[in-house]
């Protein structure tokens, strides 16, 4: 039976959907999370450096290496399990630790990443988090632990996945430099579901932080963008001034447009990435299927109050840049119209001046023609007088009388010939 050939990437594309399964974690347990990003031009970084850094960590634990060019890895490092992922702008390390901890959110847990290895990272820490997972269903016990671990003013608490767990976090950096998230599992919650909850909490924190880079970029751009907006407004307001020169205004407008394009080019990728990260944050919260716990704000409400305003500012700034470009384009069209009108007026004046000069040239030409008739007639009469003088003498006509008789005939003849030549030329 004949077989249709497969696309060369068919299996790779299909396997990609199954290459990043959710981790598993039994309660009690902990997770240590780290996201590393190159400070500048992260999307264009050499990802071989990230793999080399991962291999350096694995070598410390005697763990096997990932495949060349890998974008994800899962394996044992000592008594723990590591999950590593490479993303467009950053890489993440998540270490899952099973067993009860001596105390919740112990900074010592982060020592799973050696200090020398952290110092050699090809980038900077974007975020890090400690996640504490316990099996607890007593609301009073949960409330007591929340009061002890988190700042109440910003605490977000939710019951998720159809009462499978209660998650909590205040999105603040603790004295050790880490975020804190707690997961209180209901009895019977399996390790796979627990792993999904932990994974989603890490993703919410990571993508929230990455999205806030767009807000930071907006803060940096606002003074320059505001100055450009004022310059454009002043230029457009002065377009109707009679003393303004359209060419000068057009040159200034081109400078404003060029600066606006530079702003847009510098921010376009960051704004696009911010929109994508925001969508991921909202999607990860949505799939948790939150319900309220004892009047606390949910993760979704926290984002609505603290995160969404920053994202709306980014969206507003992006629209402001687009509006600036459109306003500059409309002003450019208006200025070009003014320039065209001014040039048309100049051309009209030039044509009128050319008409006057042409009229003067025509009059001069007619004058010259009259003078040329006289001059040609003078020479023609003399020539004819010399030619006819012997004949005139034979018949008894004096030379003076002969010359006088030739003058009107020759003048009329020359005038007629010049007129015919002029008509033939026109």
């Amino acid at each position: 039976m004949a077989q249709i050939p497969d696309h060369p990437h068919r299996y790779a594309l299909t396997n990609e959907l199954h290459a990043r399964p959710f981790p598993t974690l039994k309660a009690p347990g902990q997770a240590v999370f780290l996201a590393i990003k190159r400070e500048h031009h992260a999307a264009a970084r050499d990802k071989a450096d990230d793999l080399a850094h991962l291999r350096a960590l694995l070598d410390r634990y005697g763990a096997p290496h990932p495949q060349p060019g890998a974008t994800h890895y899962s394996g044992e490092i000592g008594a723990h399990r590591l999950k590593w992922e490479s993303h467009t702008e950053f890489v993440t390390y998540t270490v899952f630790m099973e067993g009860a901890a001596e105390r919740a959110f112990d900074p010592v847990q982060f020592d799973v990443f050696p200090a020398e290895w952290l110092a050699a990272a090809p980038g900077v820490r974007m975020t890090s988090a400690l996640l504490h997972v316990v099996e607890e269903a007593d609301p009073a016990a949960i409330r007591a632990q929340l009061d002890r671990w988190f700042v109440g003013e910003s605490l977000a608490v939710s019951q998720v996945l159809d009462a499978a767990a209660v998650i909590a976090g205040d999105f603040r950096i603790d004295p050790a430099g880490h975020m804190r998230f707690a997961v209180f599992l209901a009895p019977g919650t399996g390790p796979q579901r627990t792993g999904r909850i932990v994974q989603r909490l890490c993703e919410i924190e990571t993508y929230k932080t990455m999205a806030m880079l767009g807000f930071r970029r907006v803060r940096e751009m606002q003074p320059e963008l505001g100055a450009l907006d004022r310059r454009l407004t002043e230029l457009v307001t002065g377009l109707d001034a009679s003393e303004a020169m359209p060419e000068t205004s057009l040159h200034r407008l081109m400078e404003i447009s060029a600066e606006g394009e530079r702003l847009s080019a510098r921010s376009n990728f960051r704004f696009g990435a911010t929109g994508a990260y925001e969508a991921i944050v909202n999607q990860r919260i949505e799939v948790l299927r939150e319900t309220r716990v004892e009047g606390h704000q949910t993760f979704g409400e926290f984002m609505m109050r603290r995160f969404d305003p920053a994202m709306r500012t980014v969206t507003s700034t992006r629209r402001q840049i687009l509006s600036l470009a459109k306003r500059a384009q409309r002003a450019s069209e208006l200025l070009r119209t003014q320039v065209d009108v001014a040039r048309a007026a100049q051309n009209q004046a030039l044509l009128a001046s050319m008409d006057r000069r042409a009229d003067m040239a025509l009059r001069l030409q007619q004058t010259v023609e009259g003078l040329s008739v006289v001059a040609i007639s003078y020479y023609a009469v003399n020539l004819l007088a010399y030619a006819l003088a012997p004949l005139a003498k034979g018949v008894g006509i004096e030379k003076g009388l002969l010359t006088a008789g030739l003058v009107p005939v020759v003048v009329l003849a020359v005038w007629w010939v010049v007129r015919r030549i002029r008509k033939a030329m026109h």
Side-chain angles (χ1 to χ4, degrees):
M1 180 179 177
Q3 294 288 332
I4 185 171
D6 287 326
H7 188 281
H9 302 302
R10 179 190 174 202
Y11 286 95
L13 294 173
T14 301
N15 293 333
E16 181 67 23
L17 300 177
H18 308 285
R20 305 188 186 195
F22 281 108
T24 60
L25 181 63
K26 295 180 181 179
Q30 297 79 41
V32 177
F33 178 76
L34 172 66
I36 298 174
K37 174 187 177 295
R38 192 175 295 274
E39 192 168 2
H40 303 290
H41 310 295
R45 71 189 187 281
D46 185 358
K47 294 187 178 181
D49 295 340
D50 299 332
L51 277 170
H53 194 231
L54 170 63
R55 288 193 294 267
L57 177 64
L58 296 176
D59 288 342
R60 289 175 177 267
Y61 289 95
H65 288 182
Q67 294 294 325
T71 58
H72 49 82
Y73 172 85
S74 294
E76 304 291 330
I77 53 170
H80 313 305
R81 292 191 313 279
L82 170 68
K83 180 181 176 66
W84 174 86
E85 291 185 309
S86 176
H87 300 266
T88 302
E89 292 190 87
F90 58 93
V91 295
T92 60
Y93 293 81
T94 312
V95 179
F96 299 91
M97 308 172 176
E98 294 186 354
E102 293 185 5
R103 67 189 182 98
F105 306 111
D106 190 344
V108 174
Q109 296 171 1
F110 207 75
D111 290 344
V112 69
F113 300 122
E116 305 84 24
W117 178 83
L118 289 171
V124 296
R125 173 171 56 177
M126 200 65 214
T127 187
S128 61
L130 300 175
L131 296 96
H132 185 65
V133 182
V134 294
E135 188 174 281
E136 182 62 74
D138 182 10
I142 293 175
R143 184 167 53 252
Q145 290 172 325
L146 293 180
D147 292 340
R148 185 166 64 253
W149 293 338
F150 300 107
V151 177
E153 185 270 334
S154 58
L155 177 62
V157 185
S158 298
Q159 193 176 62
V160 298
L161 299 180
D162 305 320
V166 172
I167 60 174
D170 58 7
F171 295 96
R172 292 180 180 271
I173 300 175
D174 70 9
H178 312 300
M179 293 286 181
R180 293 181 174 187
F181 295 99
V183 180
F184 302 96
L185 298 174
T189 302
Q192 290 184 335
R193 176 163 279 194
T194 303
R196 287 198 297 270
I197 293 172
V198 170
Q199 179 74 21
R200 285 165 181 165
L201 284 173
C202 293
E203 290 173 345
I204 289 170
E205 165 56 24
T206 305
Y207 289 113
K208 180 265 296 179
T209 304
M210 292 298 298
M212 290 299 293
L213 287 176
F215 181 69
R216 181 65 182 175
R217 178 65 60 84
V218 165
R219 286 283 185 87
E220 295 171 352
M221 290 173 53
Q222 281 296 346
E224 188 175 358
L225 185 58
L228 275 180
D229 189 82
R230 288 191 297 272
R231 287 170 57 189
L232 180 59
T233 300
E234 292 172 358
L235 187 147
V236 173
T237 303
L239 288 182
D240 58 350
S242 58
E243 68 274 12
M245 297 295 293
E247 292 84 355
T248 303
S249 298
L250 187 58
H251 179 70
R252 290 170 53 200
L253 180 61
M254 295 304 293
E255 292 179 349
I256 294 173
S257 298
E259 292 178 24
E261 286 298 321
R262 284 194 292 271
L263 273 181
S264 179
R266 292 206 316 262
S267 61
N268 190 52
F269 173 81
R270 177 52 51 203
F271 287 169
T274 295
Y277 295 143
E278 178 191 7
I280 294 175
V281 170
N282 293 331
Q283 189 270 342
R284 296 297 188 269
I285 292 175
E286 182 180 355
V287 298
L288 287 173
R289 302 194 299 275
E290 295 184 289
T291 57
R292 190 181 303 279
V293 174
E294 295 185 352
H296 290 288
Q297 64 180 342
T298 63
F299 277 60
E301 289 173 339
F302 175 88
M303 295 299 172
M304 180 184 67
R305 295 175 180 175
R306 309 292 181 93
F307 178 68
D308 288 356
M311 297 300 99
R312 286 195 293 271
T313 300
V314 174
T315 302
S316 175
T317 302
R318 191 174 191 178
R319 290 174 179 169
Q320 186 179 359
I321 293 176
L322 293 175
S323 174
L324 182 71
K326 291 180 180 178
R327 289 169 55 202
Q329 183 179 3
R330 290 195 297 268
S332 176
E333 292 173 355
L334 179 58
L335 277 171
R336 287 192 178 96
T337 301
Q338 288 186 344
V339 170
D340 291 342
V341 170
R343 287 178 178 173
Q346 292 175 356
N347 292 338
Q348 187 175 3
L350 179 61
L351 289 174
S353 175
M354 291 175 64
D355 287 343
R356 289 194 297 272
R357 292 181 181 180
D359 184 61
M360 292 176 62
L362 179 61
R363 293 181 182 178
L364 180 61
Q365 179 184 356
Q366 292 174 346
T367 303
V368 171
E369 287 177 358
L371 294 175
S372 65
V373 168
V374 173
I376 294 171
S377 299
Y378 172 78
Y379 289 108
V381 167
N382 286 330
L383 289 174
L384 287 174
Y386 281 114
L388 297 176
L391 297 176
K393 187 176 181 182
V395 295
I397 300 175
E398 294 182 1
K399 183 177 180 181
L401 184 61
L402 175 64
T403 302
L406 289 173
V407 168
V409 176
V410 171
V411 169
L412 286 174
V414 171
W415 173 83
W416 182 80
V417 170
V418 171
R419 185 180 178 189
R420 290 295 299 266
I421 293 174
R422 185 172 64 188
K423 285 185 177 182
M425 293 179 63
H426 292 286

